[in-house]
Amino acid sequence: MVFGSGIPTVGVDALASDDFLLDVREDDEWQAGHAEGALHIPMSDFVARFGELTEKAPEGGRINVICRSGGRSAQVTAYLVQQGMDAANVDGGMQTWEAVGRPVVAGDGTPGTVI
């Protein structure tokens, strides 16, 4: 799938539980509910914290970028692709993730919700 002008996109249903996931939502959204195991770097901090991503992303593996609905993650995906990285925007974001029954955990580890 392709989002907008050539941005690689992947559906939630195509993601395996061990696929690398980068969540670019803000702190309050993350605390309310996120995919367990995702790396959290808010879009507002992304450039300053880019090194965290390069340290933790799987070498040669795809970076699946997610936000609430897909807009912010599409922008980050476009940036990563411009940097020569293998990245894909998660279609529908955390709203779709939650809607299809994928687990969502709060910042304290209890069941969470997408805001």
Side-chain angles (χ1 to χ4, degrees):
M1 290 178 93
V2 176
F3 177 93
S5 59
I7 297 172
T9 304
V10 62
V12 169
D13 58 341
L15 294 172
S17 61
D18 61 345
D19 283 342
F20 186 80
L21 193 63
L22 170 65
D23 191 323
V24 297
R25 295 174 304 142
E26 294 304 315
D27 289 334
D28 62 327
E29 295 172 288
W30 171 267
Q31 290 298 325
H34 58 271
E36 192 167 14
L39 173 63
H40 178 230
I41 302 177
M43 184 175 162
S44 59
D45 295 339
F46 188 74
V47 174
R49 293 176 58 188
F50 184 72
E52 288 179 47
L53 174 63
T54 58
E55 288 175 11
K56 295 181 180 176
E59 190 171 329
R62 185 173 65 197
I63 300 166
N64 300 290
V65 188
I66 197 164
C67 67
R68 182 173 185 265
S69 61
R72 289 172 284 179
S73 54
Q75 293 175 55
V76 172
T77 300
Y79 175 80
L80 293 173
V81 169
Q82 288 173 350
Q83 304 308 307
M85 301 175 89
D86 181 8
N89 185 33
V90 179
D91 190 35
M94 285 300 297
Q95 288 180 321
T96 299
W97 182 277
E98 184 178 49
V100 301
R102 291 281 185 116
V104 177
V105 296
D108 64 3
T110 61
T113 190
V114 175
I115 60 168

